[in-house]
Amino acid sequence: MKRQDYISWDEYFMGVSLLAAKRSKDPNTQVGACIVDSNNVILSTGYNGFPVGCSDDNLPWNRTGEDTKYPYVVHAELNAILNSGGKSLRGATIYVGLFPCNECAKAIIQSGIKEVVYLNDKYANEKSTLASKRILGMAGIKLRRLTPREKNLVLNFENELDR
Ligand SMILES: O=c1[nH]c(=O)n([C@H]2C[C@H](O)[C@@H](COP(=O)(O)O)O2)cc1CO
Ligand SMILES: [Zn+2]
């Protein structure tokens, strides 16, 4: 009989997005994204970080004050779209830890992505999130908040070692 405790597609792709987020250097919010086609093939991934060639050590990670991260950081969703290397994203689904902002929503719509699956909506009351929901709704993009069956998905490297 086949294994019964395998993970669902939703858990797999959101898991990949959460794993990508582990690469983020942002001390406050780590976001990951995973773009998948209608055949459940991963097309691209991304996480929030500074542009290529712009050192994590020479730009600020501050949220407030004179010099903040906000003008410099590339959002996870945009990075995933840009990382897709020219592949068509028409009809694809994007899995993201955090609900996309309005700037990412514009890129999502223009790239032809048709569904956004997310976990966290902690900035639901921000103008950027309200604007995002407005245009995503107008563009007919499906929005789905994932309620995972399992709270934890553990990756155990040690179990894979030959001993
Ligand atoms: O959709 C998003 N995708 C995304 O990658 N981000 C990134 C930008 C910042 O690095 C971080 C948000 O930082 P903070 O929560 O400290 O304001 O998350 C932020 C949003 C906003 O919703
Ligand atoms: Zn964004």
Side-chain angles (χ1 to χ4, degrees):
M1 201 174 79
K2 72 175 180 184
R3 269 178 77 226
Q4 296 299 314
D5 59 345
Y6 58 90
I7 58 173
S8 67
W9 287 117
D10 278 344
E11 288 165 332
Y12 175 36
F13 301 133
M14 191 56 86
V16 169
S17 140
L18 295 181
L19 195 58
K22 298 272 184 210
R23 286 277 314 147
S24 176
K25 318 299 182 307
D26 191 318
N28 193 57
T29 303
Q30 303 83 40
V31 189
C34 176
I35 304 177
V36 179
D37 75 9
S38 54
N39 295 314
N40 292 320
V41 174
I42 294 176
L43 299 174
S44 189
T45 61
Y47 59 90
N48 56 325
F50 296 136
V52 175
C54 305
S55 166
D56 293 316
D57 302 316
N58 297 333
L59 284 170
W61 281 114
N62 308 325
R63 306 183 70 226
T64 54
E66 276 285 288
D67 201 17
T68 73
K69 64 187 172 183
Y70 295 110
Y72 306 111
V73 74
V74 184
H75 288 192
E77 303 89 319
L78 187 59
N79 257 333
I81 290 169
L82 296 171
N83 285 342
S84 61
K87 279 180 281 194
S88 171
L89 304 182
R90 305 239 155 254
T93 297
I94 187 164
Y95 287 78
V96 269
L98 179 63
F99 195 91
C101 75
N102 62 310
E103 291 299 329
C104 291
K106 294 178 206 174
I108 288 169
I109 295 168
Q110 294 304 72
S111 67
I113 291 171
K114 282 288 169 286
E115 184 180 19
V116 175
V117 184
Y118 63 99
L119 278 178
N120 186 312
D121 197 9
K122 68 174 175 173
Y123 294 130
N125 298 322
E126 298 275 330
K127 273 190 175 158
S128 56
T129 308
L130 295 171
S132 172
K133 286 179 183 167
R134 188 177 187 179
I135 54 174
L136 288 169
M138 290 172 85
I141 307 232
K142 189 175 166 196
L143 307 177
R144 183 157 63 89
R145 185 174 203 158
L146 196 64
T147 23
R149 280 182 312 181
E150 298 290 341
K151 285 210 167 71
N152 285 298
L153 185 60
V154 178
L155 297 179
N156 193 327
F157 285 72
E158 199 177 37
N159 282 358
E160 307 298 322
L161 298 177
D162 295 327
R163 270 181 299 176

